[in-house]
Amino acid sequence: MNENLEMKELTTIDEHIDELSHLLRTVVDDVASIGFLSPMEHSTAVDFWGHALRPHVILYIAWVEEAIAGTVQLHLCTKQNGTHRAEIAKMMVHPQFRQKGIAKKLMQTAEKRAKEEGRTLLILDTVEGAPSNHLYTSLGFVKGGRIPDYATSPYGELEATIIYYKHI
């Protein structure tokens, strides 16, 4: 792992919106399945980040050598019957920073925060067959199920998603 790697929680977006938007567009163009399709307009990315932070959303960035190398969001469930759980969302690492342990560190940071928030269950979903499936299982996430035809791929085909959970 890069010795210059630092995890930072962002409480405002404005200072980093251009860099975050570039990261989002880059990973979407690299066919990451995070809710968007390529080609992604800059305005779409800016709009997403402009609305990303809410009281129940915690955003971490992986900061490497003065650049945002990746992000992860922790969504704290606000439903009365779900205050024990949180969801991992928009976990992304810039292609030039992959295979350096950044995704693992982002996930560990989000999990630690979930525990601090009193959460005992983490959930997430990812496209079936994506490299991220290996990451999640290596971190102790358990496959809870498969939903066929969940999302449209960049190639116009419907793809399945895998739901994972982890007791923490």
Side-chain angles (χ1 to χ4, degrees):
M1 187 179 328
N2 193 315
E3 296 156 8
N4 298 321
L5 175 63
E6 182 182 354
M7 294 294 125
K8 293 183 179 182
E9 179 182 349
L10 290 188
T11 56
T12 62
I13 295 290
D14 296 344
E15 180 182 346
H16 301 286
I17 198 158
D18 287 334
E19 194 171 0
L20 287 166
S21 296
H22 174 72
L23 171 66
L24 180 58
R25 292 179 68 206
T26 300
V27 298
V28 167
D29 287 346
D30 196 49
V31 299
S33 181
I34 54 174
F36 301 97
L37 293 174
S38 180
M40 182 180 209
E41 296 291 327
H42 178 73
S43 60
T44 302
V46 169
D47 184 60
F48 168 76
W49 286 113
H51 296 93
L53 285 182
R54 296 179 303 255
H56 67 282
V57 176
I58 300 164
L59 171 64
Y60 287 103
I61 62 169
W63 190 256
V64 178
E65 299 170 6
E66 306 299 315
I68 296 176
T71 70
V72 69
Q73 293 179 19
L74 181 67
H75 293 206
L76 304 174
C77 185
T78 60
K79 296 175 183 176
Q80 286 182 339
N81 69 350
T83 58
H84 65 289
R85 70 179 185 259
E87 181 176 0
I88 300 290
K90 302 296 186 265
M91 213 296 295
M92 60 183 105
V93 175
H94 192 286
Q96 79 181 46
F97 290 103
R98 291 186 183 151
Q99 302 299 313
K100 298 176 190 274
I102 293 171
K104 181 177 180 180
K105 185 67 173 168
L106 282 163
M107 290 294 293
Q108 291 169 332
T109 301
E111 181 177 326
K112 180 177 184 267
R113 178 62 179 271
K115 288 178 184 177
E116 291 169 0
E117 294 288 334
R119 307 304 162 126
T120 58
L121 179 68
L122 282 178
I123 59 172
L124 61 86
D125 70 272
T126 192
V127 69
E128 184 176 49
S132 56
N133 286 271
H134 176 71
L135 169 68
Y136 301 137
T137 57
S138 75
L139 293 170
F141 281 83
V142 177
K143 181 178 175 180
R146 177 185 183 272
I147 303 172
D149 301 336
Y150 186 78
T152 303
S153 79
Y155 312 106
E157 301 167 352
L158 293 177
E159 295 182 314
T161 194
I162 304 297
I163 308 295
Y164 288 98
Y165 69 93
K166 181 178 182 180
H167 287 102
I168 56 173

